[in-house]
Amino acid sequence: MYITITAQKMGGNYSQSSADFVGYLEKENEGLEQPDIEHFFNQYGDEISAEEVVKEIDGNTAKLKKKEPKFYSITVSPSKYELRKLQNNSQDLKTYTRELMKDYVASFNREINGRPISIDDIKYYAKIEHQRTFKGTDFQIKENQPFATKILQLKTDIRNVQEGRAEGNIKKMEKEIAKLERQAPHQQNGKRIVQGMAKDGNQSHIHIIVSRKDASNSVSLSPGSKHKASEVEMHGKKVKRGFDRDAFFAKAEKTFDKTFGYKRNYAETYKAKKTFVKNPNLYFSALMKLPANEKALAFKIISKSGLPIVPSIPVSQAQIALRVFKRLRRGAEVAIKSSSIGI
């Protein structure tokens, strides 16, 4: 499970309207027949139009300044292992989203009129998507880049020869290109993975737009990590503030596991990823202490997705972790080979 919470920006400024973002989320519906279209939904309604989403989100921004975010985007990306537990991707993910948003409100250290925030206090709209493409930030693209650079240069050289600007053996260069295409470390269906290529397999995920203001358009609710749970004095009164992201991410996993009967491996947990960031040695030590089958599964999960590196890990820590990983993984090969787990 990979979850991100971001304040939508257009360049250096926060977007003043949700229209562009909503339009972006509608792209997957282009060319589909009505039964196949994925509509927006919220806690109580289905088949909500894009126009209504824009109207409701943009009309719920009272007293927010230009330099303050008007809405947040939550992206929820279940792993392929988690997706296998679903019977009906769209309906199951809708069910999960509605439970997830209860976890979202429970992670606020805020009160409205002296009571805890409830699901009825937030204004959100969600949409299920089933496609993903490789981006420049994906490790497959990064590790294929040296080959892509050489291929691009060879294609430029061929064009120069064809147009009389240079001399060279075109057939020889074409053979070199074919060789580089095969040698690129990351392939999909026999082709080098390139930016923009559609990813194979089940890619279902959830996009959620949630208003910065509560449903009454009077209270600001920011899931930003700037303020942790605390109390401040405003206008002579003590006011609770803050959003506990750690609690939200942990609850999101437990809710998924409970809803779909999913048995989560240590390598998939948010706790493990945090341990990796803070203490890579402890992370891999914990992996090595797992029972044989769980250890085998953990290393297969890691090998399929790359190291569980999340944004903002210091380079030095990542390098240390990689060295430890290579050393410990050699010791885990026996467990992987002897395991009956098929992934």
Side-chain angles (χ1 to χ4, degrees), residues 3 5 41-43 72-76 93-108 117-126 206-211 223 243 248 251-252 255:
I3 301 176
I5 306 175
F41 64 95
N42 60 16
Q43 201 69 15
Y72 287 86
S73 165
I74 303 175
T75 304
V76 184
L93 289 177
K94 283 184 180 180
T95 298
Y96 174 61
T97 300
R98 286 166 174 150
E99 293 303 311
L100 175 75
M101 294 313 285
K102 294 177 183 177
D103 295 331
Y104 175 78
V105 297
S107 300
F108 278 100
I117 298 171
S118 76
I119 190 66
D120 296 325
D121 291 316
I122 64 169
K123 187 182 286 287
Y124 83 86
Y125 298 91
I206 310 160
H207 286 287
I208 305 168
I209 305 172
V210 57
S211 176
F243 180 83
F248 176 53
K251 288 175 183 176
T255 293

Side-chain angles (χ1 to χ4, degrees), residues 81 139 296-307 325 329 336:
Y81 308 102
F139 73 91
L297 176 57
F299 276 96
K300 284 188 176 183
I301 289 171
I302 292 170
S303 67
K304 293 289 183 181
S305 59
L307 281 171
F325 171 74
R329 188 174 181 181
I336 294 175

Side-chain angles (χ1 to χ4, degrees), residues 14-195:
Y14 289 110
S15 177
Q16 299 304 301
S17 172
S18 60
D20 286 343
F21 185 56
V22 171
Y24 168 77
L25 295 181
E26 281 285 89
K27 69 185 185 305
E28 198 170 292
N29 283 333
E30 293 177 4
L32 295 182
E33 297 295 328
Q34 189 62 32
D36 299 322
I37 289 176
E38 290 285 0
H39 297 278
F40 285 94
F41 64 95
N42 60 16
Q43 201 69 15
Y44 308 108
D46 294 300
E47 297 192 12
I48 299 171
S49 70
E51 292 76 16
E52 182 177 346
V53 173
V54 173
K55 178 183 176 183
E56 291 295 320
I57 294 294
D58 289 1
N60 203 62
T61 60
K63 297 182 180 180
L64 289 178
K65 300 174 182 178
K66 281 190 175 183
K67 293 185 178 181
E68 291 181 304
K70 308 302 183 293
F71 62 95
Y72 287 86
S73 165
I74 303 175
T75 304
V76 184
S77 303
S79 70
K80 67 178 182 180
Y81 308 102
E82 292 167 324
L83 289 171
R84 287 175 185 171
K85 290 295 292 184
L86 307 184
Q87 300 298 313
N88 180 309
N89 270 13
S90 293
Q91 193 54 52
D92 286 349
L93 289 177
K94 283 184 180 180
T95 298
Y96 174 61
T97 300
R98 286 166 174 150
E99 293 303 311
L100 175 75
M101 294 313 285
K102 294 177 183 177
D103 295 331
Y104 175 78
V105 297
S107 300
F108 278 100
N109 183 50
R110 295 293 303 274
E111 291 181 347
I112 296 178
N113 298 325
R115 61 170 175 77
I117 298 171
S118 76
I119 190 66
D120 296 325
D121 291 316
I122 64 169
K123 187 182 286 287
Y124 83 86
Y125 298 91
K127 193 170 185 291
I128 310 299
E129 287 196 333
H130 301 289
Q131 298 174 10
R132 280 193 181 281
T133 57
F134 286 99
K135 298 179 180 179
T137 53
D138 289 328
F139 73 91
Q140 296 94 334
I141 301 299
K142 290 181 177 179
E143 293 178 10
N144 275 357
Q145 188 55 49
F147 296 84
T149 301
K150 292 177 182 178
I151 289 169
L152 180 61
Q153 182 58 54
L154 283 167
K155 287 182 177 179
T156 300
D157 293 343
I158 289 174
R159 189 164 59 250
N160 286 336
V161 172
Q162 290 173 332
E163 296 176 1
R165 291 190 296 270
E167 294 183 358
N169 189 323
I170 291 178
K171 286 188 177 180
K172 183 178 180 181
M173 288 187 281
E174 287 176 340
K175 285 183 179 180
E176 182 63 21
I177 288 174
K179 181 181 177 182
L180 289 167
E181 291 282 6
R182 294 192 301 270
Q183 289 178 337
H186 300 289
Q187 306 276 330
Q188 181 172 275
N189 298 324
K191 293 184 178 181
R192 171 174 58 94
I193 292 176
V194 298
Q195 192 167 338

